[in-house]
Amino acid sequence: MGTEGSTVLSPLWRGLPPIAPSAVSNSASCALPPRFEAVRTARTFTRTTLQGWGLGGLFDDVALVVSELVTNSLRYALPPEPISGGAYEPPVRLHLMRWTSRLVCAVRDPSEESPTAGEADASAECGRGLFLVESFSDTWGWHPLAGALHGKVVWALFRLPREQHA
């Protein structure tokens, strides 16, 4: 996520003991193409990254959240027509960041629109994504990107079990 990660993610520490955002012990990022197959890519990237960090036991919950955040970005945040000209920047990017006691997954996309939870009835096939994110993570939120960057970051935070603190 580079330097913008510290600024964009700084508000997400509410209610948690402070840590320096620059003290990320591990981070990884994956550019995702504007196709729904990118959800599978994001899940594979998440599995590989968590296993490399010794956090493979968290994969099911984190992968569900990553899948929902990436799907929402692909479904609701992409412009109807590809932006032409200039250098190509993949429109959606997944970031995983691990601190000693927490893990954050964040998805950056080009929309500045707030994510909104849907009201799904029992037979609906969609509309529950942010409810699942809220249910499986410890907290989640979103922030617009600042400066020359356009879009937003939607993030979910997971507190790591004590035995996972490195």
Side-chain angles (χ1 to χ4, degrees):
M1 200 162 197
T3 57
E4 80 264 11
S6 298
T7 303
V8 172
L9 297 177
S10 60
L12 71 86
W13 308 123
R14 333 167 244 177
L16 295 171
I19 59 172
S22 60
V24 175
S25 61
N26 295 98
S27 66
S29 177
C30 175
L32 299 167
R35 297 186 304 273
F36 284 103
E37 296 83 19
V39 176
R40 179 179 44 217
T41 302
R43 289 175 64 85
T44 301
F45 173 78
T46 299
R47 178 184 301 279
T48 302
T49 302
L50 292 180
Q51 286 175 342
W53 294 345
L55 300 174
L58 300 176
F59 173 74
D60 291 337
D61 289 353
V62 175
L64 183 139
V65 168
V66 163
S67 295
E68 294 300 333
L69 295 180
V70 170
T71 297
N72 283 351
S73 287
L74 294 171
R75 182 172 285 155
Y76 303 114
L78 297 182
E81 297 295 322
I83 299 169
S84 60
Y88 176 74
E89 171 68 18
V92 177
R93 182 171 283 277
L94 168 63
H95 303 273
L96 299 173
M97 294 153 286
R98 178 191 181 185
W99 284 264
T100 303
S101 60
R102 34 196 111 140
L103 172 76
V104 171
C105 61
V107 176
R108 185 180 80 194
D109 67 47
S111 172
E112 295 177 357
E113 295 294 316
S114 166
T116 56
E119 292 288 326
D121 62 33
S123 63
E125 291 186 21
C126 60
R128 294 180 189 84
L130 292 176
F131 173 75
L132 291 172
V133 170
E134 185 172 319
S135 297
F136 283 84
S137 66
D138 289 298
T139 189
W140 74 277
W142 76 279
H143 300 287
L145 293 172
L149 299 171
H150 298 285
K152 69 177 174 300
V153 171
V154 183
W155 51 264
L157 181 140
F158 297 84
R159 292 183 189 159
L160 298 178
R162 241 195 212 309
E163 60 273 5
Q164 297 292 334
H165 295 192

